[in-house]
Amino acid sequence: PAAIVPASADASLQNRACLLSLSPTNAEKMGRLDSCLITVSLDDYTHSVTNDASGALLGQIRNVSSGVDATNRWFDKSMSLIVESNARFGMMGEHSAVDALIPSIIADWAISEPIDQSVFADGHSGSEGVFELLAWQADEYISSECRLAKERARAIINDSDVNVLHFCEYGIRWIKEAGGQLCVEIPTHL
């Protein structure tokens, strides 16, 4: 479904309505996605930019943020957990500044919380039947829209830089020194 997002919001609503009208199971699956708090994307690949450690890190950052073509992602949730085929995983937060804090808070809690090993004592995790592949019934129109959306996504992804920038000058002291000038400079640079 992430690949059905077209160039405009109006077309997106039209595509969504079309997808839902194709099958009652499509509507049921979309309802489940709309009502969930987080999503889990289980990728059948591992993305790496190069074969060295830095390429693996950049590949993971790219994969968590968009995947290779923006499929198997749900971009409008507070948190998405993305698991690659080698069990490497990451979390993506929804695009607004406050919502993006949620994954980091959850990660901090999960890392500090001890794992109760007794839950796994019988060899079962209790998750049988919880996860389900959400395959959609599509017609030629939706399939065509998905192909076009993937092309747009690939162009944006290929033109995006996923490197982490360490800028040591930005901080409380720097903001205080910049004062009101910061508010004027930001819009002029955009």
Side-chain angles (χ1 to χ4, degrees):
I4 69 167
V5 177
S8 74
D10 289 340
S12 178
L13 291 173
Q14 178 183 349
N15 288 351
R16 180 185 170 106
C18 178
L19 181 68
L20 297 181
S21 71
L22 293 174
S23 162
T25 59
N26 284 355
E28 185 267 330
K29 289 173 186 175
M30 188 68 75
R32 287 172 49 199
L33 277 169
D34 286 345
S35 66
C36 68
L37 294 175
I38 68 169
T39 58
V40 177
S41 297
L42 303 175
D43 289 341
D44 59 358
Y45 63 88
T46 296
H47 186 58
S48 221
V49 176
T50 60
N51 290 332
D52 61 355
S54 65
L57 175 62
L58 293 178
Q60 183 183 21
I61 293 170
R62 165 69 47 89
N63 195 45
V64 167
S65 65
S66 62
V68 292
D69 57 7
T71 57
N72 198 28
R73 299 290 181 272
W74 199 261
F75 293 100
D76 199 21
K77 292 293 176 188
S78 294
M79 188 183 93
S80 293
L81 179 67
I82 293 90
V83 184
E84 295 183 7
S85 62
N86 67 351
R88 184 173 68 180
F89 69 94
M91 288 188 290
M92 173 177 61
E94 199 268 335
H95 57 276
S96 69
V98 176
D99 285 345
L101 290 175
I102 293 171
S104 63
I105 293 168
I106 291 172
D108 284 345
W109 174 83
I111 289 169
S112 65
E113 191 68 20
I115 296 174
D116 180 2
Q117 295 294 328
S118 67
V119 173
F120 307 102
D122 63 0
H124 298 285
S125 66
S127 63
E128 291 82 8
V130 174
F131 297 104
E132 174 188 347
L133 174 65
L134 297 181
W136 303 86
Q137 294 182 13
D139 61 4
E140 185 50 42
Y141 170 77
I142 290 295
S143 296
S144 173
E145 287 294 298
C146 287
R147 284 190 294 276
L148 293 171
K150 284 182 190 180
E151 289 173 17
R152 283 190 296 274
R154 280 191 197 109
I156 292 168
I157 291 166
N158 291 337
D159 191 39
S160 298
D161 187 1
V162 297
N163 287 320
V164 177
L165 175 63
H166 296 281
F167 184 63
C168 300
E169 298 299 318
Y170 191 79
I172 294 172
R173 182 183 52 79
W174 184 79
I175 292 172
K176 285 180 181 176
E177 290 173 4
Q181 182 182 2
L182 180 64
C183 297
V184 175
E185 286 185 14
I186 291 176
T188 59
H189 293 292
L190 298 177

